[in-house]
Amino acid sequence: MEDELEIGRLVHSTPALHARHLEKQLAWRAFLEPEVARRIEHQDGVPRDTAHRRAAAAVVACALSCLDAASAAWITEGGSVPIEALYDEAVEAVRS
């Protein structure tokens, strides 16, 4: 776990590494958004449209932002709280 913390600290404190991390997240968004839009369409039975794509973009962006918040808290707290719990906490904050 100490190695993961050190890598996290390094990525968050080095501008070039942090920028690359954000670039990767943009790629994840491009990959995930169409699948989330498909699942939204499947749930409500309404053909996919611009609203589905907007909703998918919001869901994916929120999930990745919650992951960033959880990661930052995990690093700040020295790994003392499981990252899964921190992610759940972030998602709950968005839902409330």
Side-chain angles (χ1 to χ4, degrees):
M1 177 175 75
E2 198 57 41
D3 288 344
E4 290 88 353
L5 280 169
E6 192 57 38
I7 290 168
R9 287 184 192 110
L10 184 64
V11 168
H12 280 81
S13 65
T14 306
L17 294 176
H18 193 74
R20 179 63 185 129
H21 170 71
L22 295 175
E23 286 176 13
K24 283 183 183 179
Q25 283 197 349
L26 289 174
W28 296 345
R29 287 178 63 171
F31 177 76
L32 292 169
E33 286 173 11
E35 178 60 21
V36 172
R38 185 188 68 76
R39 290 179 185 206
I40 291 170
E41 173 188 3
H42 181 72
Q43 275 186 334
D44 65 15
V46 176
R48 191 179 325 184
D49 62 5
T50 304
H52 285 104
R53 289 190 298 276
R54 286 192 307 263
V59 167
V60 171
C62 184
L64 291 174
S65 292
C66 287
L67 180 58
D68 274 346
S71 296
W74 184 75
I75 291 164
T76 299
E77 298 185 25
S80 62
V81 179
I83 196 165
E84 298 86 357
L86 294 168
Y87 180 81
D88 289 346
E89 187 178 291
V91 169
E92 185 56 36
V94 171
R95 286 182 176 162
S96 60

